Amino acid sequence: MLFLNTKQIVGLDIGQSTVKAVVLRRQGKTVQIEAGKLLDCREEGILDTIELYEQLPKWLEENGWKNRELLVSLPQYLTTTRVTDFPPSTDQDLEKMVAIETHELAGLSEESFVSDHCPLGARPGRNNPVLIVISKSSAVSERADRYQESGLCLTEFGIPGLALANAYLALYPAAAAAAEPQLLL
């Protein structure tokens, strides 16, 4: 879990015309949804990302969340996602295999990339599937710098699709064992 050392974290999904926020609170071994809000950029007259980065701290402060730890989603267009089936392995071997796969996903680019991965449950045809996500280091650094310059407490970036799946499985754990595919919109 991302926030083992804190009791509360704010998740932000920053889209083209809205910012969606959810506040999660850890209670023992469970996570509770404490609050959720929507910032409609068009309604507020926010026209571009520069204005959004100026207004976001004010909006968070109005809601009492400015000094809370933030988990911010990276837009899907900044990431490349892939599910790869690896042979059974130790965590250390899996890290090495993911690093090799990440290098292959980056292709011949001279740019540096960051990656993350999440082992998935076995399914017919996939014995050891792993979700791998890569993004250009420069894109991640640029966004992190913008948040820090705005005075926000960025803890980590997340991928919206993976966050949605994790939230769904946390709320409906029996769905992880379902044989049929799950569609989340």
Side-chain angles (χ1 to χ4, degrees):
M1 179 157 295
L2 286 174
F3 58 112
L4 292 174
N5 297 323
T6 186
K7 291 200 177 268
Q8 192 177 63
I9 194 163
V10 178
L12 295 178
D13 182 9
I14 301 174
Q16 295 295 323
S17 60
T18 60
V19 176
K20 295 158 285 292
V22 64
V23 180
L24 302 174
R25 176 176 295 280
R26 184 172 45 89
Q27 290 182 316
K29 293 183 179 183
T30 65
V31 177
Q32 305 293 319
I33 298 174
E34 185 174 284
K37 291 259 185 181
L38 180 76
L39 172 64
D40 187 326
C41 297
R42 292 180 185 143
E43 194 174 282
E44 296 295 323
I46 299 170
L47 301 175
D48 58 26
T49 55
I50 294 170
E51 288 183 13
L52 176 62
Y53 284 103
E54 289 173 0
Q55 294 300 316
L56 192 56
K58 295 172 189 170
W59 182 70
L60 290 168
E61 189 167 15
E62 287 171 10
N63 289 289
W65 304 331
K66 185 172 185 242
N67 296 321
R68 304 270 171 85
E69 292 187 17
L70 298 176
L71 168 65
V72 180
S73 67
L74 278 176
Q76 201 68 41
Y77 66 84
L78 288 179
T79 64
T80 299
T81 306
R82 180 175 180 172
V83 175
T84 301
D85 200 26
F86 290 112
S89 60
T90 65
D91 287 343
Q92 188 177 17
D93 289 340
L94 181 60
E95 292 284 336
K96 290 177 186 175
M97 289 186 285
V98 167
I100 291 168
E101 189 73 14
T102 298
H103 181 71
E104 288 181 14
L105 287 172
L108 299 174
S109 173
E110 292 182 16
E111 181 119 22
S112 66
F113 288 81
V114 294
S115 67
D116 199 1
H117 68 279
C118 176
L120 304 172
R123 295 281 188 252
R126 292 196 183 262
N127 296 323
N128 192 25
V130 176
L131 176 68
I132 301 172
V133 180
I134 67 168
S135 184
K136 289 182 179 178
S137 297
S138 59
V140 174
S141 294
E142 176 188 321
R143 290 198 175 248
D145 290 346
R146 283 184 181 176
Y147 291 115
Q148 290 175 342
E149 287 169 6
S150 296
L152 301 176
C153 184
L154 178 65
T155 300
E156 190 164 338
F157 283 111
I159 306 302
L162 184 57
L164 177 62
N166 286 337
Y168 176 71
L169 293 174
L171 295 171
Y172 303 100
E180 55 282 335
Q182 306 289 314
L183 177 64
L184 303 177
L185 300 175

